[in-house]
Amino acid sequence: AGCHASIDGIGFAFSRFDAVGAFRTHEGGVPVDASGTFVGTRDLDGTFVGVPEMAHKLAGSAQVRACVARHLL
């Protein structure tokens, strides 16, 4: 459960996609909740809804930019 505290909030953003990647707004007649949360970061903590908003937050993070640059080089 400890490791899921840091990854579940990110995974929830993908809830609008089913097991084969098809977009959905409802599952079993219930609206899909695609809200998620970043935790334990330097400049990114907070909530978002869906993949586009999550991607926007990631793109605006200095911590993410530094990580990508470090791992690419």
Side-chain angles (χ1 to χ4, degrees), residues 22-49:
F23 187 80
R24 62 185 178 178
T25 57
H26 289 75
E27 181 178 16
V30 178
V32 174
D33 178 9
S35 58
T37 309
F38 287 116
V39 296
T41 68
R42 281 184 243 138
D43 65 351
L44 198 57
D45 286 1
T47 61
F48 54 87
V49 178

Side-chain angles (χ1 to χ4, degrees), residues 1-12 36-40:
C3 68
H4 277 264
S6 63
I7 62 173
D8 280 351
I10 296 167
F12 293 144
T37 309
F38 287 116
V39 296

